[in-house]
Amino acid sequence: MRLPTHLMPTRLASRTIGHLLGGTTDLASDWLARRRGVPEMVVPPGDWIELPGRGRTWLTDTGPRDGRPVILLHAIGCTGMLTWFPTVAELSRTHRVIVFDQRWHGRGVRSARFALTDCADDVAAVIGALGLEQPIVAGYSMGGVIAQRTWRQHPELIGGLVLAATSDHFRVTPHELVFHEGVELAAKALRMIASPTRRGTADPVAATAAATAAAYTAEQVGRWAIREFLSTGPLTVAQALGVLGRHHSTPWLELVDVPTAVVITTRDELIPAGRQRGMASLIPGATMHEAEVGHGGCVLEAATFVPVMLAAIASVQARLEGRDSEQCG
């Protein structure tokens, strides 16, 4: 099918989408090349959860039920466990940890469109479905944007925030402006030629759902990660990038009234550390926790990232407990 001339992607957008489509192999190879030192892992059991009126998603709920609940929101083009499995292994010793695939990603909710407002409403639906009280909502990269929006749309449900490797706005530099606009245009063109039954669905090479815990040796972790990565299609990544480019929370971050910590990935090649610090400075009382890692540090440099992430969560929890004590007193 040939699109009308006025609907054809720009040359830049075409190159961008080509990069996204061809990047899967590069990312997989990069993972395999750099996974040395990744320990054996156990993927906690997960299951489908139905979110009334929204659809279903794949959710993992692990750790002590009497621990403070923490919802971990994943990065773009990933699944919940792919972004967070190193953190889950440590955090679930003391906290109730909830991880789920966000819409259009992995086994997440299917819908006709991808919107950050819908993603935030999905988080609220998970909180309601599990009966969570004042959870800490933590997000990495795109997940951090969704965490911001969840507070904005449902402030009464949120106990605290942890924002990692993320920003309050994009499309700052000329390069970012052209990149995001190009991706968005190309994504719209791709959606027009995609089969309606395929829109918002994962690639056929989807991660296998399992309701029981699965143990992986260090050698198997790479293959599991690639399967998880391939469960989200390139059209999803393109669409989500375009949507993220329009995110702009700068005007209202000063209104955030819950304990917040910001994890700054200081060697981040995608979201400069200076921009992350600028976002943190807008949030009243936000603490900053620096991790000497790049944008993929949540997994590829987990030994450095995870302790910083745990410290950020502990900081938020301490302030929540202090606030609770004051209210009780």
Side-chain angles (χ1 to χ4, degrees):
M1 173 181 178
R2 184 175 180 82
L3 291 174
T5 303
H6 70 285
L7 294 176
M8 288 294 289
T10 65
R11 182 176 301 176
L12 172 66
S14 297
R15 289 202 303 267
T16 301
I17 291 300
H19 173 72
L20 291 170
L21 292 172
T24 299
T25 302
D26 293 338
L27 286 173
S29 299
D30 183 64
W31 168 268
L32 288 171
R34 299 174 62 183
R35 80 180 195 280
R36 296 176 185 175
V38 175
E40 295 183 359
M41 60 174 286
V42 175
V43 178
D47 207 347
W48 294 106
I49 183 171
E50 192 72 31
L51 304 179
R54 310 192 65 77
R56 69 174 188 168
T57 187
W58 186 256
L59 181 142
T60 299
D61 185 352
T62 188
R65 289 298 179 268
D66 59 350
R68 170 76 67 173
V70 180
I71 298 175
L72 299 175
L73 304 177
H74 63 76
I76 191 171
C78 295
T79 64
M81 288 306 299
L82 181 55
T83 295
W84 289 113
F85 74 86
T87 300
V88 170
E90 297 299 323
L91 185 60
S92 61
R93 300 176 190 273
T94 54
H95 292 71
R96 181 179 180 182
V97 183
I98 295 94
V99 182
F100 68 95
D101 291 354
Q102 293 165 59
R103 62 176 53 221
W104 281 39
H105 287 72
R107 289 156 281 179
V109 172
R110 303 309 185 207
S111 59
R113 67 166 189 167
F114 180 86
L116 296 175
T117 52
D118 290 335
C119 291
D121 288 342
D122 291 341
V123 179
V126 166
I127 294 173
L130 298 181
L132 304 179
E133 293 187 10
Q134 298 292 292
I136 296 172
V137 178
Y140 195 92
S141 192
M142 179 186 76
V145 170
I146 294 171
Q148 295 171 51
R149 287 237 54 99
T150 302
W151 176 85
R152 179 66 168 172
Q153 294 168 216
H154 306 278
E156 73 285 354
L157 298 179
I158 308 303
L161 294 172
V162 179
L163 310 175
T166 194
S167 179
D168 55 324
H169 62 292
F170 300 93
R171 301 193 185 190
V172 176
T173 66
H175 173 76
E176 288 178 336
L177 180 65
V178 174
F179 173 77
H180 281 283
E181 288 185 346
V183 168
E184 189 170 17
L185 179 59
K188 288 178 180 178
L190 284 173
R191 287 192 72 210
M192 292 190 65
I193 62 176
S195 166
T197 59
R198 292 283 299 148
R199 293 176 186 170
T201 63
D203 278 355
V205 189
T208 303
T212 57
Y216 295 96
T217 66
E219 199 61 31
Q220 293 170 322
V221 170
R223 291 194 293 272
W224 169 83
I226 291 173
R227 288 197 304 271
E228 288 286 302
F229 180 77
L230 290 175
S231 69
T232 300
L235 175 55
T236 290
V237 177
Q239 179 82 356
L241 276 171
V243 171
L244 280 173
R246 298 195 300 274
H247 168 69
H248 190 59
S249 58
T250 309
W252 48 262
L253 282 183
E254 64 180 6
L255 303 176
V256 173
D257 58 356
V258 297
T260 301
V262 176
V263 176
I264 298 165
T265 44
T266 60
R267 292 191 289 101
D268 202 312
E269 66 281 6
L270 295 181
I271 303 178
R275 192 181 304 174
Q276 298 179 49
R277 294 188 186 99
M279 177 193 69
S281 70
L282 298 174
I283 303 172
T287 57
M288 298 188 207
H289 308 259
E290 298 199 349
E292 295 289 332
V293 301
H295 198 71
C298 57
V299 172
L300 296 177
E301 299 172 278
T304 299
F305 173 80
V306 171
V308 178
M309 186 69 190
L310 296 181
I313 293 171
S315 170
V316 171
Q317 178 161 335
R319 282 175 278 164
L320 278 172
E321 292 174 349
R323 187 181 67 182
D324 293 343
S325 297
E326 290 178 1
Q327 291 176 347
C328 291

